[in-house]
Amino acid sequence: VYIELDANECSLHDARIMHASEPNTSSIRRCGWTMRFTSTAVQYNQDRFDGTHIVYLARGRDLGNNVYADPT
């Protein structure tokens, strides 16, 4: 299904959905944001990502001994 978003609109979809877009030829920046959810038992390897990922505990109790960002 083809959709065209207006300025300040966004598309939410599962990461397994095939999606694509034509190159941005406007002077207005286009950006994307990726959010992933995982079990609290997963141990996140912060050293591997060199500080480029921020992890929040959304719900439950940490079982992976992770360091989380402050959501406030």
Side-chain angles (χ1 to χ4, degrees):
V1 174
Y2 176 82
I3 62 169
E4 188 169 327
L5 301 175
D6 290 326
N8 298 315
E9 289 186 334
C10 69
S11 167
L12 300 176
H13 52 269
D14 187 279
R16 296 170 292 184
I17 298 291
M18 291 180 62
H19 60 283
S21 61
E22 297 295 325
N24 182 13
T25 58
S26 76
S27 62
I28 301 170
R29 179 178 163 229
R30 180 195 300 167
C31 65
W33 183 41
T34 302
M35 181 173 25
R36 293 183 174 94
F37 293 90
T38 187
S39 164
T40 59
V42 171
Q43 187 173 34
Y44 174 67
N45 185 347
Q46 290 183 339
D47 296 334
R48 183 161 184 216
F49 292 100
D50 197 25
T52 58
H53 290 69
I54 299 171
V55 179
Y56 296 98
L57 180 61
R59 187 175 97 174
R61 196 177 95 234
D62 176 46
L63 302 173
N65 196 29
N66 293 296
V67 176
Y68 295 97
D70 182 357
T72 59

